[in-house]
């Protein structure tokens, strides 16, 4: 079956599959794939979603994976060989984006139901919704310090949200096209947007000002990724190319050709020494950079230092840098690995299928798969990313072995009445979800009609004024 790669994430190591660099990919074939490159190439295919997977991201420590799908659900996976996952149900339309906060405690999801939802990872509970967009929300990202969320929508706006007040604190609009993707710079002072109108824009959120505007692609821009230093930005486009921009000098420095069709995604590794790209040609290309390398743990520690309870507002505690004078543009370099670089690909790596089983979380219901008597182990399953990286590996191994000894769902004695009651609650929640979706559609139609009436009224007033 032909597949089209849609979103991709790159981590420095998924601990339970080995210490080597791992890439997670999502595709139109509904499978989530984890690729290990050392010591031998191997792929793990996670089965659980029922429709196209639209987004995937590693937690900050790389030991938890979140995925979004057109089946209206979000799943949290433990990237091991057991395939344990938790399912979140709250959106009433396909989910387009998932993003972890820098400390791994929160998850933001964006959906075609025009909302952004924020989840608590420690308890796996829904917290709140952000609902000011008037069209599908394509992407939502946390700022490095976790105090802001940026979102982009097909209503041609980019909004900045305060996670404390849950209010929209800034709004950027575009009259030409909408943004497919948006993200914060590593220092949190700027955002970059990938436009359907073939443009890449850099906005300063402290001054609410457009800083840089690039028109280097001949097709819609689908994704952008900042280098951890913040000095470079890589873009992926439907014109089949990747572009690397030097943000300090404000110019294009590299054009990368390797895909034979639209490129949907690109992502730097945490340290910036690698980046990977995926496209409609069913290929994942892994690239090595010659930029300044950064230690991924230092990057994470730098972001976590900015997280404290009495911190001042994000927009006020960072002072803008002086503008950089742009010099004349220098000729760019075009790289085509098919012509200039030896193809190091080996034969197709073996694929291990892993079937998902786990729990389901709705807006107000949490179902656990582990017994309450072992609370510490339960917390580990709910969110392993919250555990310290210095946690003894022998203990983790012991707990993993203990988990295999737990009774399965079929072996547990659950009263029939409780089972029927839970099924009835789930049916009622599904009915409520469908009702809310219908009401949202009717509200949208009403808004459109009201807008038309106001426009007609304005035209009549203008005509009367001209006659007078």
């Amino acid at each position: 079956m032909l597949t089209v790669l849609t979103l991709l994430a790159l981590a420095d190591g998924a601990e339970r599959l080995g210490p080597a660099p791992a890439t997670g990919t999502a595709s139109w074939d509904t499978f989530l794939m984890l690729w290990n490159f050392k010591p031998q190439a191997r792929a793990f295919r996670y089965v659980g979603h029922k429709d196209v997977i639209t987004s995937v991201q590693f937690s900050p420590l790389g030991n938890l994976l979140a995925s979004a799908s057109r089946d209206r659900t979000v799943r949290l996976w433990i990237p091991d060989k057991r395939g344990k996952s938790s399912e979140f149900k709250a959106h009433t339309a396909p989910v387009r984006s998932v993003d972890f906060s820098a400390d791994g405690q929160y998850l933001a999801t964006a959906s075609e139901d025009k909302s952004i939802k924020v989840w608590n990872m420690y308890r796996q509970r829904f917290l709140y919704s952000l609902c000011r967009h008037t069209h599908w929300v394509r992407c939502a990202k946390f700022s490095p310090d976790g105090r802001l969320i940026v979102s982009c929508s097909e209503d041609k706006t980019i909004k900045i949200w305060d996670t404390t007040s849950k209010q929209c604190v800034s709004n950027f609009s575009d009259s030409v096209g909408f943004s497919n993707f948006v993200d914060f710079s590593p220092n949190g002072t700027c955002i970059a947007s990938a436009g359907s109108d073939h443009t890449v824009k850099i906005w300063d959120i402290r001054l609410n000002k457009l800083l840089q505007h690039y028109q280097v692609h001949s097709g819609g821009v689908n994704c952008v990724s900042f280098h951890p230093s913040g000095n470079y930005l890589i873009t992926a486009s439907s014109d089949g190319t990747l572009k690397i921009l030097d943000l300090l000098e404000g110019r294009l420095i590299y054009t990368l050709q390797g895909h034979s069709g639209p490129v949907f995604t690109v992502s730097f590794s945490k340290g910036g020494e690698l980046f990977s790209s995926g496209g409609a040609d069913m290929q994942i290309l892994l690239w090595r950079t010659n930029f300044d390398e950064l230690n991924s743990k230092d990057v994470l520690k730098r972001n976590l230092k900015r997280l404290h309870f009495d911190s001042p507002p994000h927009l006020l505690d960072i002072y803008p840098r002086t503008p950089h004078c742009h010099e004349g543009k220098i000729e760019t370099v075009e790289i085509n690995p098919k012509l200039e670089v030896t193809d190091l690909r080996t034969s197709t790596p073996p694929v291990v299928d892993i079937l998902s089983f786990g729990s389901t979380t709705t807006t107000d219901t949490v179902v656990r798969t582990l017994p309450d008597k072992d609370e510490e182990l339960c917390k580990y399953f709910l969110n392993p990313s919250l555990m310290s990286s210095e946690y003894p590996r022998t203990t983790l191994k012991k707990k993993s072995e203990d988990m295999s000894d737990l009774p399965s769902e079929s072996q547990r004695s659950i009263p029939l009445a409780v089972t029927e009651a839970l099924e009835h609650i789930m049916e009622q929640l599904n009915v409520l979800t469908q009702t809310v979706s219908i009401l949202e559609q009717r509200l949208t139609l009403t808004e459109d009609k009201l807008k038309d009436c106001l426009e007609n009224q304005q035209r009549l007033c203008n005509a009367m004024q001209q006659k007078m």
Side-chain angles (χ1 to χ4, degrees):
M1 176 180 176
L2 293 179
T3 63
V4 179
L5 192 67
T6 54
L7 257 296
L8 173 148
L10 186 67
D12 289 339
E15 295 180 0
R16 289 160 192 80
L17 296 180
T23 298
T25 62
S27 172
W28 284 10
D29 60 7
T30 75
F31 298 134
L32 173 67
M33 302 283 288
L34 283 185
W35 307 80
N36 255 19
F37 303 113
K38 295 180 180 179
Q40 293 180 344
R42 197 174 188 185
F44 298 84
R45 180 163 52 201
Y46 291 79
V47 183
H49 282 293
K50 300 176 182 177
D51 206 335
V52 175
I53 300 179
T54 56
S55 178
V56 60
Q57 192 190 41
F58 282 102
S59 63
L61 295 181
N63 50 2
L64 190 66
L65 201 60
S67 61
S69 171
R70 294 192 63 85
D71 63 10
R72 305 182 182 184
T73 67
V74 175
R75 280 184 178 267
L76 286 179
W77 309 78
I78 296 178
D80 59 12
K81 300 177 182 179
R82 300 181 183 275
K84 288 184 179 293
S85 70
S86 300
E87 186 180 60
F88 290 0
K89 292 183 178 180
H91 287 289
T92 59
V95 188
R96 300 295 295 263
S97 167
V98 291
D99 186 60
F100 283 99
S101 59
D103 58 2
Q105 293 188 25
Y106 302 99
L107 182 75
T109 60
S111 169
E112 292 180 9
D113 62 9
K114 309 177 190 176
S115 74
I116 302 108
K117 298 188 185 298
V118 179
W119 305 77
N120 182 299
M121 291 291 93
Y122 183 74
R123 298 188 179 276
Q124 290 196 359
R125 290 188 183 275
F126 168 76
L127 293 180
Y128 57 88
S129 291
L130 305 172
C131 303
R132 288 281 299 276
H133 283 293
T134 59
H135 211 303
W136 295 350
V137 185
R138 284 187 161 262
C139 181
K141 295 283 186 177
F142 279 102
S143 62
D145 60 9
R147 286 184 279 167
L148 297 175
I149 292 176
V150 62
S151 62
C152 63
S153 166
E154 291 193 15
D155 61 10
K156 300 183 180 180
T157 66
I158 297 173
K159 296 184 185 294
I160 307 291
W161 310 83
D162 189 310
T163 57
T164 302
S165 65
K166 285 109 178 145
Q167 298 296 320
C168 178
V169 295
S170 188
N171 186 78
F172 304 96
S173 59
D174 197 329
S175 59
V176 180
F178 58 86
S179 296
N180 290 313
F181 189 90
V182 66
D183 199 5
F184 279 95
S185 61
N187 63 6
T189 63
C190 299
I191 58 172
S193 64
S196 61
D197 58 352
H198 310 176
T199 65
V200 177
K201 297 179 180 178
I202 310 295
W203 307 81
D204 190 320
I205 64 174
R206 303 157 297 183
L207 306 175
N208 287 341
K209 181 180 179 181
L210 178 63
L211 290 182
Q212 297 178 345
H213 182 192
Y214 297 92
Q215 292 181 309
V216 294
H217 285 288
S218 59
V221 186
N222 299 312
C223 187
V224 297
S225 181
F226 279 98
H227 186 267
S229 67
N231 298 333
Y232 306 98
L233 183 76
I234 187 166
T235 64
S237 170
S238 294
D239 63 11
T241 66
L242 300 163
K243 307 273 187 179
I244 298 180
L245 307 173
D246 187 326
L247 300 182
L248 294 182
E249 297 187 5
R251 67 183 182 92
L252 171 68
I253 55 175
Y254 292 109
T255 296
L256 307 179
Q257 296 187 6
H259 292 280
S260 58
V263 187
F264 291 125
T265 183
V266 65
S267 178
F268 272 109
S269 62
K270 288 184 178 180
E273 72 280 2
L274 300 170
F275 68 88
S276 50
S277 60
D281 56 0
M282 301 178 288
Q283 286 193 112
I284 305 158
L285 300 183
L286 185 64
W287 309 73
R288 184 176 298 277
T289 71
N290 57 357
F291 303 137
D292 297 331
E293 294 186 8
L294 300 176
N295 189 300
S296 59
K297 292 184 179 179
D298 292 340
V299 174
L300 180 60
K301 189 182 299 183
R302 181 177 61 193
N303 291 334
L304 291 179
K305 282 182 179 179
R306 301 169 62 187
L307 286 167
H308 45 91
F309 292 106
D310 298 324
S311 54
H314 179 79
L315 297 180
L316 301 179
D317 64 348
I318 304 174
Y319 296 92
R321 296 182 299 179
T322 56
H324 181 84
C325 297
H326 294 176
E327 300 176 354
K329 293 187 177 180
I330 306 175
E331 186 177 354
T332 63
V333 178
E334 184 168 338
I335 299 176
N336 187 342
K338 293 184 178 179
L339 301 177
E340 303 172 11
V341 180
T342 304
D343 189 351
L344 299 179
R345 290 177 297 179
T346 57
S347 58
T348 303
V351 177
V352 179
D353 283 331
I354 300 176
L355 298 178
S356 170
F357 66 94
S359 62
T360 301
T361 302
T362 61
T363 53
D364 53 6
T365 305
V366 177
V367 180
R368 296 186 177 183
T369 60
L370 297 180
D372 294 334
K373 64 181 181 180
D374 193 355
E375 185 66 19
E376 186 179 6
L377 180 57
C378 187
K379 290 178 181 178
Y380 169 69
F381 171 74
L382 285 177
N383 192 357
S385 70
L386 295 181
M387 299 186 65
S388 171
S389 58
E390 287 79 23
Y391 200 82
R393 293 184 179 273
T394 55
T395 306
L396 294 182
K397 184 176 180 181
K398 183 177 183 300
K399 288 187 176 181
S400 178
E401 294 172 353
D402 293 341
M403 289 170 64
S404 63
D405 297 330
L406 294 174
S408 64
E409 290 288 342
S410 59
Q411 294 173 334
R412 294 177 191 159
S413 56
I414 302 177
L416 181 60
V418 175
T419 303
E420 293 177 350
L422 290 174
E423 290 178 353
H424 178 71
I425 291 173
M426 291 302 299
E427 290 176 359
Q428 294 300 316
L429 286 173
N430 288 334
V431 172
L432 181 60
T433 299
Q434 295 173 4
T435 303
V436 171
S437 179
I438 293 172
L439 290 175
E440 286 183 347
Q441 294 174 4
R442 291 182 178 178
L443 181 59
T444 301
L445 293 175
T446 304
E447 290 175 348
D448 294 339
K449 290 181 180 179
L450 180 59
K451 185 178 178 181
D452 293 338
C453 290
L454 292 175
E455 290 177 352
N456 292 333
Q457 185 178 6
Q458 185 64 35
R459 292 194 194 97
L460 290 175
C461 291
N462 294 336
M464 293 177 64
Q465 289 177 357
Q466 291 176 359
K467 290 180 180 180
M468 296 176 61

